[in-house]
Amino acid sequence: MDESGEKEVFLDIRSGPPSPSYGSPKRDVATGAPSTDFSAKLPEVLACCSALSFHFALGLVLAYSAVLIPQLEAPDSDLKITKDQASLVASVVALSVPVGSLATAPIMEALGRLRTVQLATLPYILGCALIALANGFPMLLAGRFLTGVAAGTFGTNPAIVYTTEVARPELRGSLISVGPFMVSLGTFVTYVVGAYMPWRTLSWAFTAAPVATVLLMLLWTPESPLWLASKGRKDQAVRSMHFLARRDPAKLASAEVDVDKLVRGAEERRAAQRSGVVAYLATLFSQRTGLRPLLIIAVLFALQQFAGIYVTLFFAVSFFKDVRSALDANTASMLVGTIRVACSIQATFMMRRFGRRPLLMLSAALCCASMAVSGYFARIITTSAGDWQPLPGNETTPAGDVVELGAEVPAWMRWVPVVAILVYVYSGMLGLLTIPWTMTAELFAPRVRSLGQGMSVALANVFMFGAVQSYKDLVTLLGGVWAVHWFYAAVSLAAVLFTYLFVPETHRRTLAEIEEYFDTSLLYPAYQRRRRRQQRDELVVNRADDVHSNGVNGNEALLGK
């Protein structure tokens, strides 16, 4: 989400050996093999997890609207808002992220990764206070915006950059996945506590989250050696590296040499950046390897958001109330939080084992099926037990009386939308929610990754704002929540087709292979067929060369005899 140019050195772990930075794998002193001693890596793990724990505060902010809006819409609420205002309260967090991203990068470069995360505590606490003390819609909206800026950009972006700069390659992927896990944990806590706590009290309780992160960072997180080296603070960079490598004798011994490499690398990057902003932008927009990944990611994020993936997060309680489920809406939202936490762990392991394309298509297909089923039964339930129609007067029914349309539905039928929505949440976590965010760091070449990733994330949050803001309007426009579910099913099906046709596989693919697809092909299946033909042709040529070589060697042997 932030996009410091310096992290490019660390992120591209697919195209060759690791860069000679602090991120290099630790080697055993005697054998030179990578060490598996976890105790040597523990300082890095604690440092990164402490910084990434700010994502917990982000989870609280994202899920807060799910418990806030139903309480505001209650008849006894002391603060009344309209339907449009409720949508804006939920969606303004998404809109705040692109705005905050504009300020995060320069602040992070000026103050450092650590201080930027610590600085995020101030707007976060101020935003929570505005919400808790709100006497009207403007204060409520301002509080949501501030907490969105603080948690969505100032607190989380520097933590991700810090992790890419500090963690060694064999730990980097696992540690970065701690962020999404903490977000899911934060949403779960919000759903559980919010079911029993008034919204003002809950907002005050949220202020403890960033404070806890700062305290953990004071104990275990030194400033990034890379950032210190880029600012010419060599002595501080050495001390930071000593702290992170205090259990790693090999890395401790080479700390000063590693810092010298970081300083030289920083100087080279500064020289490259002086080539001009216009040339840098032209690299992204004038080349297929820059523009096409951006278009693919943008469409993928649009499909992700308008498939309703984040609507279930922002409107979890309302989502279940709208389908008139048999399960209490607050209990159902707790189940949503539980599934998100469990699946965030499962998805990490599955993305290591399986390719991005099959997971993405499977996830979107399951989302399509579950939303189609939910919409079908929600339509039966809402038209059978919830819609009433005035009848004209006659000999048996006085004018103005109402009758129920249809008979009461069986009890089991009210459980079907609940199960279908929970399956939908699970399915989304398998790929449609997680993989597009991962691909923002995988599709772009290193020379444009910072810019491309930043633009992708900004677009994703604009789409998120539109999807969340439009949910209640779609219910009215399409004639019921069941129709919105079918709309989400249709968009999920479109995501399956788009992924099959255009999204490349990045799992265990080199950067050269990914760039070759963008540079030579429009459709990914056609690219795969051409690659298979090339591989077969190469295999035939190699076999022919082997046969020829063996024949020549045999003849020479006979002549020798």
Side-chain angles (χ1 to χ4, degrees):
M1 292 170 72
D2 152 276
E3 309 7 57
S4 159
E6 295 176 353
K7 74 177 182 178
E8 293 178 359
V9 178
F10 298 85
L11 276 177
D12 192 10
I13 59 176
R14 295 163 292 139
S15 56
S19 59
S21 68
Y22 183 73
S24 301
K26 180 174 81 71
R27 300 279 169 176
D28 185 86
V29 177
T31 65
S35 172
T36 57
D37 183 8
F38 181 75
S39 65
K41 305 170 186 177
L42 185 59
E44 293 175 32
V45 173
L46 292 175
C48 294
C49 288
S50 298
L52 289 166
S53 66
F54 209 107
H55 283 73
F56 179 80
L58 176 59
L60 300 178
V61 172
L62 293 176
Y64 184 56
S65 60
V67 298
L68 169 67
I69 292 173
Q71 292 189 36
L72 293 178
E73 292 177 339
D76 59 347
S77 173
D78 63 342
L79 197 160
K80 302 294 184 180
I81 59 173
T82 66
K83 182 185 70 172
D84 292 337
Q85 289 173 340
S87 296
L88 193 56
V89 165
S91 59
V92 72
V93 170
L95 191 63
S96 69
V97 173
V99 176
S101 296
L102 297 175
T104 303
I107 292 175
M108 183 171 56
E109 287 306 305
L111 300 181
R113 286 60 169 128
L114 217 62
R115 290 191 182 278
T116 306
V117 175
Q118 294 168 347
L119 182 66
T121 304
L122 299 178
Y124 189 93
I125 292 177
L126 177 59
C128 288
L130 284 174
I131 293 171
L133 299 173
N135 55 13
F137 173 70
M139 281 185 69
L140 193 64
L141 191 67
R144 287 284 287 167
F145 183 83
L146 281 175
T147 53
V149 169
T153 55
F154 278 89
T156 51
N157 287 5
I160 295 172
V161 174
Y162 181 87
T163 303
T164 62
E165 293 178 349
V166 167
R168 58 192 79 197
E170 66 267 28
L171 292 177
R172 190 176 299 134
S174 298
L175 287 176
I176 288 178
S177 68
V178 170
F181 169 76
M182 295 301 292
V183 172
S184 298
L185 185 61
T187 62
F188 172 72
V189 170
T190 302
Y191 293 149
V192 172
V193 178
Y196 306 101
M197 186 178 289
W199 62 273
R200 294 184 188 273
T201 307
L202 186 62
S203 186
W204 284 121
F206 283 177
T207 59
V211 175
T213 294
V214 170
L215 292 176
L216 290 174
M217 292 175 67
L218 290 175
L219 290 174
W220 291 318
T221 311
E223 184 54 85
S224 164
L226 175 63
W227 180 80
L228 292 170
S230 71
K231 300 300 179 182
R233 303 178 186 178
K234 181 178 176 180
D235 293 340
Q236 294 179 34
V238 171
R239 286 198 298 272
S240 176
M241 194 168 286
H242 281 167
F243 183 85
L244 291 166
R246 61 188 183 275
R247 296 183 176 221
D248 186 343
K251 186 56 83 173
L252 200 60
S254 63
E256 293 196 21
V257 175
D258 289 341
V259 169
D260 287 336
K261 293 177 181 178
L262 292 178
V263 172
R264 288 196 298 272
E267 292 173 351
E268 292 171 0
R269 286 190 296 277
R270 280 197 296 270
Q273 289 170 355
R274 284 193 289 267
S275 61
V277 176
V278 175
Y280 185 44
L281 290 172
T283 303
L284 177 65
F285 291 107
S286 65
Q287 298 181 8
R288 291 182 178 180
T289 53
L291 182 59
R292 288 193 58 202
L294 181 62
L295 293 175
I296 286 175
I297 282 288
V299 174
L300 203 55
F301 272 128
L303 293 170
Q304 175 204 65
Q305 297 301 333
F306 286 96
I309 292 293
Y310 279 87
V311 173
T312 57
L313 174 62
F314 285 90
F315 290 109
V317 176
S318 301
F319 210 67
F320 286 97
K321 283 183 177 179
D322 289 344
V323 298
R324 298 172 190 175
S325 67
L327 188 63
D328 174 71
N330 286 307
T331 304
S333 67
M334 294 180 203
L335 287 176
V336 169
T338 304
I339 290 172
R340 285 179 60 88
V341 171
C343 288
S344 64
I345 300 173
Q346 180 188 3
T348 299
F349 291 102
M350 292 188 71
M351 282 198 292
R352 284 183 173 184
R353 185 178 181 88
F354 301 104
R356 308 288 190 254
R357 278 170 55 84
L359 276 180
L360 196 53
M361 286 189 286
L362 174 64
S363 172
L366 291 175
C367 286
C368 173
S370 56
M371 278 290 98
V373 171
S374 177
Y376 175 78
F377 283 93
R379 184 171 185 267
I380 295 175
I381 293 168
T382 55
T383 57
S384 296
D387 289 346
W388 299 76
Q389 179 174 314
L391 290 180
N394 55 42
E395 64 275 7
T396 58
T397 307
D401 275 12
V402 293
V403 297
E404 188 177 357
L405 296 178
E408 179 67 31
V409 298
W412 65 267
M413 194 175 288
R414 292 181 177 274
W415 285 96
V416 176
V418 177
V419 175
I421 292 171
L422 293 178
V423 171
Y424 167 77
V425 172
Y426 172 81
S427 304
M429 290 295 295
L430 288 181
L432 191 56
L433 185 146
T434 54
I435 289 177
W437 298 103
T438 302
M439 282 190 162
T440 61
E442 295 178 331
L443 291 185
F444 294 102
R447 61 186 177 275
V448 294
R449 180 177 292 133
S450 292
L451 180 61
Q453 189 181 19
M455 294 184 66
S456 301
V457 171
L459 286 171
N461 282 277
V462 170
F463 293 140
M464 187 190 301
F465 172 80
V468 175
Q469 175 71 13
S470 64
Y471 169 65
K472 290 185 178 292
D473 291 330
L474 278 177
V475 173
T476 303
L477 179 65
L478 299 180
V481 69
W482 56 270
V484 177
H485 288 200
W486 283 354
F487 173 76
Y488 291 159
V491 176
S492 299
L493 180 60
V496 176
L497 298 175
F498 180 80
T499 301
Y500 175 75
L501 292 174
F502 299 108
V503 177
E505 182 57 72
T506 59
H507 182 57
R508 296 179 179 174
R509 297 293 192 274
T510 65
L511 181 61
E513 290 174 327
I514 297 171
E515 287 191 334
E516 181 187 13
Y517 161 62
F518 288 129
D519 200 38
T520 61
S521 303
L522 177 64
L523 302 177
Y524 194 72
Y527 168 76
Q528 287 180 305
R529 289 193 294 270
R530 192 180 75 252
R531 286 282 297 174
R532 284 194 289 267
R533 284 197 301 269
Q534 291 175 346
Q535 291 170 353
R536 284 197 299 267
D537 293 343
E538 291 173 0
L539 183 61
V540 170
V541 170
N542 290 337
R543 285 179 177 174
D545 289 343
D546 290 341
V547 170
H548 177 72
S549 177
N550 291 334
V552 170
N553 292 337
N555 292 334
E556 290 177 350
L558 290 173
L559 290 173
K561 290 182 178 180

